[in-house]
Amino acid sequence: MYSLIPFNLLEMIVIFILYLIISLSASILGAVAGLGGGVIIKPLLDFFGHFDLPTIGVLSAATVLAMSTMSLIKLSISRSEAKIDKTISLLLALGSITGGILGKFVFNYFAVSLGMLTGTALLQSVTLALLLTLLLFYFLKKDKLKSFVFENRMIIIMIGLSLGFLSAFLGIGGGPLNVAVLILFFSLNVRDAAFNSIFIIFFSQLSALLLIALTTGFTNYDLSMAGYMITGGVIGGLIGTNIAIRLSNKLIEKIFNAAILLIIFINLYNVVNLIMVH
């Protein structure tokens, strides 16, 4: 029996659904655990290989911006006990924006100007896997480690700058790095760190997209999936935040650790795949 729908159309429908599911699930996890979503979207889009690295960065940033916007709106109208330290988070965001510009410049230089797309992708996957492994060990041992409370504004901005540089170069939005820094350097619990991370992510992703809009524009990017992924980001942000405000610190931490472990395995697979193919 033959399908009434041509195969190529069926294939496109499957791809649309796939990218909607990716953005939705990443945004739900991102909103629940403060991951942002980019750290999940980036390696998954690398895995499927439908887009080049610059396009993946734009799609990820747009999805994460949609998620963080809806998450913050939901938090502002809910009666949750979420605590967002706007002074610290805004200073981190300020540093993150500056660092993000530098990180994107370095990324564009290697990936676009020098044409080292494969080498850059390999470096991103290896670095991300190593960073996330360190973060996982930190979270498993954090109760035995000392935390700090930095108050010097310049130091806070410099921490944000480092976060922004790494996040922009790796194309991940910075979520897990933000959460770890907020716990280690500002003694926040996991739940509050997750909400503050989303606050920081909103500004960093907004600035990243504005930078592209004001410089190269979006004409060189394949944004055919942008509408589906932004839709997933909006719905995921609402669902994830609604879940997060009802969860305990302990449960959020377990979800965070499980998500980090999954992302490590995806990145390791991408590393092996890149080496085998090239």
Side-chain angles (χ1 to χ4, degrees):
M1 180 180 291
Y2 294 98
S3 171
L4 295 176
I5 303 176
F7 176 73
N8 61 342
L9 181 56
L10 275 175
E11 189 178 51
M12 288 305 297
I13 292 172
V14 170
I15 291 174
F16 292 152
I17 294 172
L18 172 66
Y19 277 85
L20 179 60
I21 291 172
I22 289 173
S23 59
L24 178 62
S25 56
S27 297
I28 291 174
L29 270 174
V32 169
L35 295 170
V39 71
I40 302 170
I41 294 169
K42 165 64 172 60
L44 280 177
L45 266 58
D46 281 344
F47 172 79
F48 287 109
H50 294 146
F51 300 102
D52 59 24
L53 282 179
T55 297
I56 289 173
V58 173
L59 290 172
S60 176
T63 306
V64 173
L65 178 61
M67 180 282 298
S68 58
T69 301
M70 298 313 297
S71 183
L72 292 174
I73 290 172
K74 177 64 179 177
L75 282 174
S76 67
I77 62 177
S78 69
R79 297 182 179 180
S80 72
E81 297 178 357
K83 296 178 181 177
I84 294 181
D85 190 321
K86 292 183 179 179
T87 300
I88 290 175
S89 293
L90 280 172
L91 288 171
L92 286 172
L94 178 63
S96 182
I97 290 168
T98 306
I101 294 171
L102 293 173
K104 186 58 70 176
F105 174 80
V106 173
F107 170 82
N108 286 337
Y109 177 74
F110 285 103
V112 181
S113 299
L114 298 182
M116 298 171 57
L117 287 173
T118 302
T120 305
L122 184 60
L123 178 61
Q124 284 180 323
S125 294
V126 170
T127 305
L128 188 53
L130 289 173
L131 277 175
L132 293 178
T133 301
L134 289 174
L135 284 183
L136 185 61
F137 278 115
Y138 166 71
F139 273 92
L140 292 175
K141 299 289 185 181
K142 70 178 180 60
D143 292 336
K144 298 178 182 178
L145 300 174
K146 182 181 179 181
S147 60
F148 305 88
V149 182
F150 284 120
E151 296 180 350
N152 184 291
R153 297 193 170 196
M154 187 53 64
I155 291 177
I156 296 173
I157 291 173
M158 292 305 295
I159 291 171
L161 189 147
S162 302
L163 285 174
F165 179 86
L166 280 171
S167 301
F169 181 74
L170 297 175
I172 61 170
L177 303 179
N178 293 343
V179 173
V181 161
L182 287 163
I183 293 171
L184 177 62
F185 294 143
F186 303 99
S187 296
L188 297 185
N189 60 47
V190 175
R191 193 163 176 269
D192 288 341
F195 291 133
N196 279 269
S197 173
I198 292 170
F199 185 78
I200 297 167
I201 287 168
F202 169 80
F203 288 100
S204 64
Q205 298 308 291
L206 177 62
S207 65
L209 290 172
L210 284 175
L211 179 64
I212 294 172
L214 295 173
T215 53
T216 61
F218 295 98
T219 54
N220 294 327
Y221 301 94
D222 180 358
L223 302 181
S224 56
M225 294 295 152
Y228 300 93
M229 297 192 70
I230 290 171
T231 300
V234 169
I235 299 171
L238 288 172
I239 294 174
T241 306
N242 198 47
I243 294 171
I245 58 181
R246 290 169 169 77
L247 297 182
S248 65
N249 277 308
K250 199 170 187 70
L251 192 50
I252 289 176
E253 187 171 336
K254 287 181 179 179
I255 294 171
F256 182 94
N257 289 339
I260 291 297
L261 188 60
L262 175 63
I263 300 162
I264 289 171
F265 282 122
I266 295 171
N267 275 281
L268 289 176
Y269 176 85
N270 288 339
V271 169
V272 173
N273 188 51
L274 282 167
I275 293 173
M276 293 289 288
V277 172
H278 299 280

